[in-house]
Amino acid sequence: MAAAADELLDPPPDQPQNFLQTPFGKRIVIGGAVAVALAVILALWLWTQQTDYRVLFSNYTDRDGGAITAALDQMGVKYKFSDGGSAILVPSDRVHDIRLRLAAQGLPKGGNVGFELLENQKLGTSQFVEQVNYQRSLEGELANSIQSLGAVASARVHLALPKPSVFVRDQQKPTASVLLNLQPGRALDPGQVSAIVHLVASSVPELTPGSVTVVDQNGSLLSDPSSRAAGTKQLDPNQLKYVAQLQQNIVKQVESIISPLVGQGNVRAEATADVDFAQVDTAAEMYKPNSPPEPQAIRSQQTSESNGATPGASGVPGALSNQPPGTATAPLTGTAPGTAPAAGAPTRKDATTNYEVDKTIRYEQRPMGGIKRLTVGVVVNYRRSVDPKTGKVTARPLAPNEVAQIQELVKQAMGYSQERGDTLNVTNAPFDGVDRPADEPAPDWWRDPANLPLATQLAKYLFAFAVIAFLWYRILRPLVRQGLNKFDKVTEVPPEPEPDPELEPDPEAEAAALEELEVQKQAKGYRENLQMAKDLAREDPRIVANVIKTWLGAE
């Protein structure tokens, strides 16, 4: 009986046994699966905990790259390279701190050499070398200043400085060329180009803005020296911005003062400002006569009086009349000295009086940016009311006195001036079924760029949780449950059944059953025999009890 039971549970010797079907092989498989699951969980944990790296510096020179990596090694900061070594990456939470610490050390120095080149001058340097170093230093400083603009990635400045000459006809003006490498997707507006031109022109003596050329990395000419040299006037972006802000302020003031009367959203206003950007200096000198009631002011007065006859001219005009006088002889008859002139001699009096004239000198200077004229248009919606019983909305126009009141308020808000020629038009009309502007829908949270890092971290943790859950429910949990079931089957010892006189086994039936099992065992495999033994145990447990009793009796 014991031999038959051993043959029933053990595979036949002629059938090869699979290693994974042995208890040791099953333990190895379970242990390997557990090890793989733990390794995957550990890898996911390390992946979620890995450091996020960001760009510290990019597009640096080899000298700056070596100095930066040496400083990072000295500070004990982990770093790595990307983009083929053109960028240095450091942990994202320390980017700004490391940049400040490197900036304190003067890193990166950049490709342009500034006035620090003059600090290493050697004794005995020729004047030509000094001039070249000065020009290189000036070009480097200008390039560094231009690179501080947000849209400029890098810049190079070339200066053509002629040699000074004592002869006026041999003197030449300096020129400059600027090559810009702009950031991807960025462009410079005319105002920024003009600022670069004036920056370079103001840094070099006798360099005019018309002699500065600005070119980008695509070879496009950003500046137009000919137009600037000819003095062509261009629109100033600052002036256009000033006009737009002035008009917006007027519209805002008008709407803010009318909205409390007619309700929010029931008023629309537009303004047009004519601004004079010409700077005028006027000097006037005016003269006018004195007013009659006022006494005339005497500036100077001169009087002269003469008595006696004055001999007149005589003789024939010509050379004979211009002869020198002859020898003086005493007259035979005459008037004695001290005697009065003859009666009937004429007396002459002359008087000259100069009076002051009114003079007014006026100097007037008008600053640029003055308002020449304002034009404002205002549209006010009909007043709407709701019937509390029916809920019907009715619209009625404003009363004339209300429109007049609104017009006066708008004049005060806009600074209306009749002498200046300002115009104002206030219209009361129903809006096209729109009392209030529609509220803009809130943007989706997943489209907000500010939530992108948070969404990335959330997706990372969700993916790790999904993988861990799959490994637990599909691999680890079935293996653990199977191991616990086998442990329970091994540790649990079934109680020995008490012999029942009515259930005494029939020896002949047992022999027949064993013979039948022997025949089936030879015809089928080990797994089929095992399954058959299980089925037999469920159908007739007495046979199994007898076999166990036989084993115990044999031991």
Side-chain angles (χ1 to χ4, degrees), residues 358-423:
D358 289 347
K359 177 181 179 181
T360 303
I361 301 177
R362 180 170 57 90
Y363 295 95
E364 180 181 1
Q365 183 177 5
R366 290 187 298 172
M368 58 185 300
I371 299 177
K372 298 172 60 178
R373 183 183 179 188
L374 287 179
T375 303
V376 178
V378 182
V379 180
V380 182
N381 190 15
Y382 275 9
R383 192 177 299 279
R384 307 220 169 181
S385 59
V386 182
D387 190 355
K389 296 181 179 179
T390 61
K392 183 178 179 181
V393 179
T394 58
R396 62 177 180 83
L398 300 178
N401 58 346
E402 293 178 340
V403 176
Q405 182 184 8
I406 292 176
Q407 188 171 3
E408 291 298 328
L409 290 176
V410 172
K411 286 184 178 181
Q412 297 295 330
M414 63 176 285
Y416 181 83
S417 175
Q418 186 176 2
E419 293 80 7
R420 195 170 52 193
D422 296 347
T423 58

Side-chain angles (χ1 to χ4, degrees), residues 59-128:
N59 299 326
Y60 46 81
T61 61
D62 295 338
R63 179 178 299 177
D64 286 341
I68 291 172
T69 53
L72 293 178
D73 292 335
Q74 186 177 2
M75 290 186 293
V77 178
K78 295 182 180 180
Y79 61 90
K80 59 182 181 179
F81 299 95
S82 67
D83 298 337
S86 61
I88 299 179
L89 307 180
V90 296
S92 58
D93 56 344
R94 301 191 59 186
V95 171
H96 303 290
D97 180 37
I98 295 174
R99 284 180 181 174
L100 293 177
R101 296 177 64 179
L102 291 178
Q105 301 179 15
L107 295 175
K109 297 181 179 179
N112 299 318
V113 181
F115 282 115
E116 61 270 11
L117 183 63
L118 302 178
E119 298 177 357
N120 300 324
Q121 291 284 353
K122 298 181 180 179
L123 185 63
T125 304
S126 63
Q127 185 178 3
F128 175 76

Side-chain angles (χ1 to χ4, degrees), residues 94-253:
R94 301 191 59 186
V95 171
H96 303 290
D97 180 37
I98 295 174
R99 284 180 181 174
L100 293 177
R101 296 177 64 179
L102 291 178
Q105 301 179 15
L107 295 175
K109 297 181 179 179
N112 299 318
V113 181
F115 282 115
E116 61 270 11
L117 183 63
L118 302 178
E119 298 177 357
N120 300 324
Q121 291 284 353
K122 298 181 180 179
L123 185 63
T125 304
S126 63
Q127 185 178 3
F128 175 76
V129 175
E130 291 180 351
Q131 183 65 25
V132 171
N133 290 338
Y134 171 75
Q135 182 173 345
R136 288 181 56 194
S137 304
L138 185 58
E139 292 174 351
E141 291 293 337
L142 290 175
N144 292 333
S145 300
I146 296 173
Q147 287 177 183
S148 61
L149 299 178
V152 179
S154 61
R156 294 192 65 185
V157 179
H158 303 279
L159 298 177
L161 303 178
K163 295 182 179 180
S165 177
V166 296
F167 300 102
V168 177
R169 63 176 179 271
D170 294 337
Q171 291 180 357
Q172 298 179 1
K173 297 295 183 180
T175 58
S177 301
V178 182
L179 177 61
L180 302 179
N181 185 14
L182 303 179
Q183 298 284 357
R186 301 291 297 274
L188 295 177
D189 55 26
Q192 292 175 322
V193 176
S194 178
I196 294 175
V197 170
H198 285 80
L199 172 66
V200 177
S202 303
S203 303
V204 180
E206 298 183 1
L207 178 61
T208 60
S211 302
V212 180
T213 304
V214 182
V215 183
D216 62 0
Q217 72 271 20
N218 299 322
S220 302
L221 180 62
L222 303 181
S223 61
D224 191 359
S226 60
S227 63
R228 290 197 306 271
T232 304
K233 284 292 184 180
Q234 298 180 357
L235 293 177
D236 190 354
N238 295 328
Q239 296 178 358
L240 299 178
K241 184 178 179 181
Y242 170 75
V243 174
Q245 290 180 351
L246 178 62
Q247 296 176 165
Q248 291 177 2
N249 291 336
I250 295 175
V251 170
K252 184 178 179 181
Q253 292 174 359

Side-chain angles (χ1 to χ4, degrees), residues 192 256 350 371 445:
Q192 292 175 322
S256 64
D350 295 330
I371 299 177
W445 65 270

Side-chain angles (χ1 to χ4, degrees), residues 44 460-472:
L44 289 174
K460 184 186 297 185
Y461 287 114
L462 288 178
F463 177 73
F465 177 76
V467 173
I468 294 174
F470 175 79
L471 293 176
W472 169 253

